[in-house]
């Protein structure tokens, strides 16, 4: 009996001293903890997404800032080079012309310019000029201008333009054709080999029987192959951003002509459009540019009078 008790005691001591094996539940919990340590938490995923979005937003913002800076450079240079005290100045419309108007306001406020009176080419430009205390008049008071400054949607090597993306083409042309110098300000993205494919050609038409006029325009020989689209939504862009027909400052409609190939003869196209009953005016500005100031990655270059030949 003593031997039996001793053997039982030894077996009990061995069981107590042996290492414990983890239970199935403990093993599962350990695996879950290991996986959890390797799998990003919801908070970590959110932080990663925010950082990625932030990088993309920063890149886009820098690109936009760069584009705006180019527009500012040419806008300021046009005023610094061509506007003097005592002048009558035409103020264009659009995101590039905005900076020219801003510069005129700055130089009047500082006293560097005096006795300047300006003619705006749209209600938007008029509002901006008034906010800067720029003296204004219309063509009714001043029919002759010393200089007009405006942007363009396309510029070809002959310095012919497509304008009117912002819907102000009629007032722009009425003012700018009366200037001794019409200074065009653009960034290099607006330069093209031929007008048409890069930007739709706007045509301002009367509301009366507008679909008839649209069809008539599309059949003009010099515009063969174009697709005529009635502008909808805001008149200040051609993005079709509304359900109602776009209406200009003059109460008219706009037809945008889309081309797949360049307009072969802009002079003939301009003439045929102007001679179409129902057309008020069009966005071809041919033979009007005195100088084109271009901002690009290599700096500012000037084409036209007192500048170099078109390099594009």
């Amino acid at each position: 009996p003593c031997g039996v008790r001793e053997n039982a005691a030894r077996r009990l001591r061995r069981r107590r001293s042996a290492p414990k094996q983890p239970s199935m539940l403990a093993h599962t919990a350990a695996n879950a903890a290991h996986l959890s340590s390797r799998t990003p938490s919801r908070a970590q995923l959110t932080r990663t997404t925010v950082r990625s979005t932030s990088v993309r937003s920063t890149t886009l913002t820098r690109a936009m800032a760069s584009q705006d800076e180019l527009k500012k450079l040419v806008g300021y240079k046009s005023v610094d080079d061509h506007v003097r005290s005592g002048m009558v100045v035409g103020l264009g419309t659009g995101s590039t012309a905005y900076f020219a108007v801003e510069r005129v306001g700055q130089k009047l406020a500082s006293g560097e310019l005096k006795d300047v009176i300006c003619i705006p080419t749209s209600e938007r430009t008029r509002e901006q000029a008034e906010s800067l205390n720029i003296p204004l008049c219309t063509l009714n008071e001043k029919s002759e201008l010393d200089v007009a400054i405006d942007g363009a949607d396309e510029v070809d090597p002959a310095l012919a333009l497509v304008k009117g993306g912002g819907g102000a083409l009629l007032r722009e042309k009425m003012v700018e054709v009366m200037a001794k110098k019409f200074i065009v300000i653009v960034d290099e993205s607006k330069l093209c080999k031929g007008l048409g494919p890069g930007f739709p050609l706007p045509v301002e038409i009367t509301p009366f029987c507008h679909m008839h006029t649209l069809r008539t325009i599309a059949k003009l020989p010099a515009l063969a192959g174009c697709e005529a689209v009635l502008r909808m939504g805001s008149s200040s862009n051609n993005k079709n951003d509304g359900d109602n027909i776009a209406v200009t400052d003059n109460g008219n409609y706009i037809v945008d002509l889309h081309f797949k190939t360049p307009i072969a003869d802009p002079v003939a196209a301009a003439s045929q459009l102007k001679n179409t009953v129902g057309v008020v005016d069009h966005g071809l500005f041919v033979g009007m540019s005195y100088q084109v100031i271009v901002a690009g990655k290599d700096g500012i270059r000037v084409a036209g009078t007192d500048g170099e030949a078109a390099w594009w």
Side-chain angles (χ1 to χ4, degrees):
C2 291
V4 171
R5 286 197 296 272
E6 289 172 358
N7 288 337
R10 282 197 294 271
R11 286 197 296 272
L12 179 61
R13 285 196 296 272
R14 281 199 298 269
R15 282 199 298 270
R16 287 175 176 175
S17 62
K20 293 183 178 180
Q21 297 298 320
S23 68
M24 182 63 70
L25 181 61
H27 181 72
T28 302
N31 280 342
H34 177 66
L35 288 173
S36 177
S37 69
R38 297 178 61 184
T39 304
S41 67
R42 180 176 297 178
Q44 288 172 324
L45 287 172
T46 300
R47 286 194 295 270
T48 301
T49 302
V50 168
R51 283 196 297 270
S52 177
T53 303
S54 176
V55 169
R56 288 197 298 270
S57 298
T58 300
T59 302
L60 180 60
T61 300
R62 285 173 180 168
M64 293 174 63
S66 176
Q67 190 81 355
D68 283 344
E69 188 61 28
L70 293 178
K71 294 177 180 181
K72 184 175 182 178
L73 286 173
V74 292
Y76 278 33
K77 179 176 173 59
S78 65
V79 175
D80 293 345
D81 288 357
H82 296 283
V83 178
R84 301 290 179 265
S85 294
M87 283 188 169
V88 180
V89 180
L91 302 178
T93 296
S95 58
T96 308
Y98 174 92
F99 291 105
V101 178
E102 180 179 80
R103 186 60 167 167
V104 171
Q106 288 177 356
K107 299 188 85 168
L108 283 170
S110 69
E112 188 174 347
L113 286 177
K114 299 179 184 296
D115 301 322
V116 169
I117 189 164
C118 297
I119 302 178
T121 56
S122 68
E123 292 303 304
R124 280 171 288 151
T125 300
R126 178 186 60 78
E127 291 170 0
Q128 182 193 4
E130 287 179 345
S131 73
L132 297 171
N133 298 314
I134 298 174
L136 300 177
C137 71
T138 71
L139 289 173
N140 286 333
E141 292 78 43
K142 301 282 186 181
S143 289
E144 295 183 2
L145 289 74
D146 296 288
V147 64
I149 300 170
D150 205 353
D153 299 305
E154 282 191 317
V155 186
D156 76 5
L159 307 190
L161 318 173
V162 166
K163 287 179 52 56
L169 62 99
L170 174 59
R171 296 191 187 188
E172 288 172 341
K173 187 174 286 185
M174 288 182 68
V175 170
E176 290 154 9
V177 77
M178 298 309 300
K180 296 173 184 175
K181 295 180 180 180
F182 174 34
I183 309 301
V184 182
I185 49 177
V186 295
D187 65 78
E188 62 185 356
S189 70
K190 304 301 177 66
L191 306 180
C192 65
K193 298 292 186 183
L195 303 177
F199 197 91
L201 170 63
V203 181
E204 189 160 346
I205 65 172
T206 60
F208 177 71
C209 295
H210 61 279
M211 292 307 297
H212 158 73
T213 304
L214 181 151
R215 291 191 297 269
T216 302
I217 290 170
K219 294 178 181 177
L220 292 174
L223 302 174
C226 77
E227 178 189 3
V229 178
L230 186 65
R231 189 175 293 190
M232 304 294 290
S234 171
S235 65
S236 62
N237 65 70
N238 57 10
K239 303 303 181 185
N240 193 9
D241 56 0
D243 297 326
N244 297 319
I245 298 174
V247 179
T248 69
D249 286 345
N250 314 296
N252 296 317
Y253 297 166
I254 292 179
V255 175
D256 291 301
L257 305 181
H258 297 253
F259 294 86
K260 294 182 179 179
T261 58
I263 300 170
D265 189 344
V267 175
S271 176
Q272 290 176 22
L273 282 167
K274 191 66 174 177
N275 288 323
T276 300
V277 177
V279 170
V280 180
D281 220 316
H282 54 80
L284 286 169
F285 285 50
V286 181
M288 291 176 56
S289 304
Y290 178 86
Q291 193 177 89
V292 179
I293 304 176
V294 183
K297 60 182 181 298
D298 298 323
I300 294 179
R301 299 176 70 177
V302 178
T305 307
D306 299 328
E308 56 186 303
W311 57 89
W312 61 97

